[in-house]
Amino acid sequence: MRTRPTTTAAAALTAAVALMLSGCGGSDTEDSGKDKIAGADTGASASASPTASAPAGGDGIERPEVRLPEGDILVFAPESTGDAEKDAVLKDNAEYLRSVDEAIGKQDPKSKAVAFYSKDAAYLGSVEWITGFIKDGVTVTGTVRYFDRKVHFSKDGSAGLTYCADESKGFTKDVKTGKVNATEASETSYVLYNDRLRKNDKGVWQTTKSTSERGSEVCQP
């Protein structure tokens, strides 16, 4: 699984992130979070691929290229639904998840790509999460499958996205030694996510909030 080593610091940080994502995500307005971390109010999107994402054409948005760490594979199902607006949400959220893995691989909590695809509570939580991996001296490897991805739109213009993650073949790896911290699959290898996204003035669906439930019955095989 992609959970980090359960050192005291890591456990405390994980708890803090969970609290922030569930409690501090009450506002996803365009103005919230601007005075906390530079880049929290920036954003945009890109298409998913096994290793590197090339800027998507046709929408005029200049997007960052996202490259996953060596040995890291993220799979998204479905990648598209046939509905253009829903597909844009799926694409941008996938790039958000990919950009977080890229930042972990580069040990870069100030990743411009993460700021490009997220803001507010989701951005702040991502910075904390990435920093935790850096402090633990680990990166990510293996395959994580995101499946049963469903989009719905709200009257306020935001989008909701629920999906499951199968981390049974995704692991952490020691940065210095290269040793993979392999774990056996269990109920906690499966995680249910509930994200909120809002389109910014560039036309990018930024993830603004993200909550998760590890071991959710909804995602069990």
Side-chain angles (χ1 to χ4, degrees):
M1 294 181 293
R2 290 292 177 85
T3 52
R4 295 181 286 107
T6 54
T7 61
T8 301
L13 180 60
T14 301
V17 172
L19 178 62
M20 178 172 58
L21 291 180
S22 61
C24 297
S27 171
D28 60 353
T29 61
E30 295 300 322
D31 294 329
S32 60
K34 289 184 178 179
D35 58 347
K36 297 179 180 178
I37 296 181
D41 60 343
T42 61
S45 152
S47 60
S49 66
T51 54
S53 56
D59 58 10
I61 300 173
E62 184 176 352
R63 307 168 183 275
E65 182 180 53
V66 177
R67 288 186 175 275
L68 294 175
E70 183 178 358
D72 184 39
I73 299 173
L74 302 186
V75 179
F76 298 92
E79 289 188 356
S80 61
T81 65
D83 180 290
E85 197 70 357
K86 288 184 178 180
D87 289 351
V89 172
L90 292 178
K91 179 179 64 176
D92 288 356
N93 184 256
E95 287 306 290
Y96 162 59
L97 296 171
R98 287 166 47 79
S99 68
V100 171
D101 271 22
E102 178 191 53
I104 292 172
K106 292 183 176 180
Q107 305 281 277
D108 178 19
K110 297 181 179 180
S111 163
K112 292 183 179 179
V114 172
F116 189 78
Y117 289 109
S118 65
K119 65 177 294 183
D120 296 343
Y123 174 75
L124 298 173
S126 297
V127 172
E128 293 276 8
W129 184 246
I130 295 162
T131 300
F133 280 86
I134 296 171
K135 288 181 177 179
D136 290 339
V138 295
T139 183
V140 289
T141 191
T143 300
V144 173
R145 183 172 63 95
Y146 295 100
F147 62 98
D148 201 18
R149 304 167 76 212
K150 298 177 181 178
V151 179
H152 66 271
F153 296 100
S154 299
K155 292 181 180 180
D156 65 357
S158 64
L161 172 60
T162 58
Y163 55 97
C164 293
D166 173 2
E167 297 183 353
S168 61
K169 296 181 180 179
F171 312 107
T172 60
K173 181 173 67 174
D174 188 278
V175 172
K176 292 183 178 180
T177 67
K179 180 182 177 181
V180 175
N181 302 308
T183 54
E184 293 186 4
S186 68
E187 290 184 356
T188 57
S189 300
Y190 300 88
V191 189
L192 173 65
Y193 286 91
N194 191 336
D195 291 2
R196 177 64 53 183
L197 300 91
R198 186 174 294 276
K199 184 186 289 188
N200 67 6
D201 57 4
K202 294 181 181 179
V204 176
W205 285 98
Q206 291 179 293
T207 300
T208 60
K209 292 189 293 185
S210 181
T211 59
S212 63
E213 180 186 350
R214 184 169 291 279
S216 171
E217 293 182 1
V218 175
C219 300
Q220 298 301 317

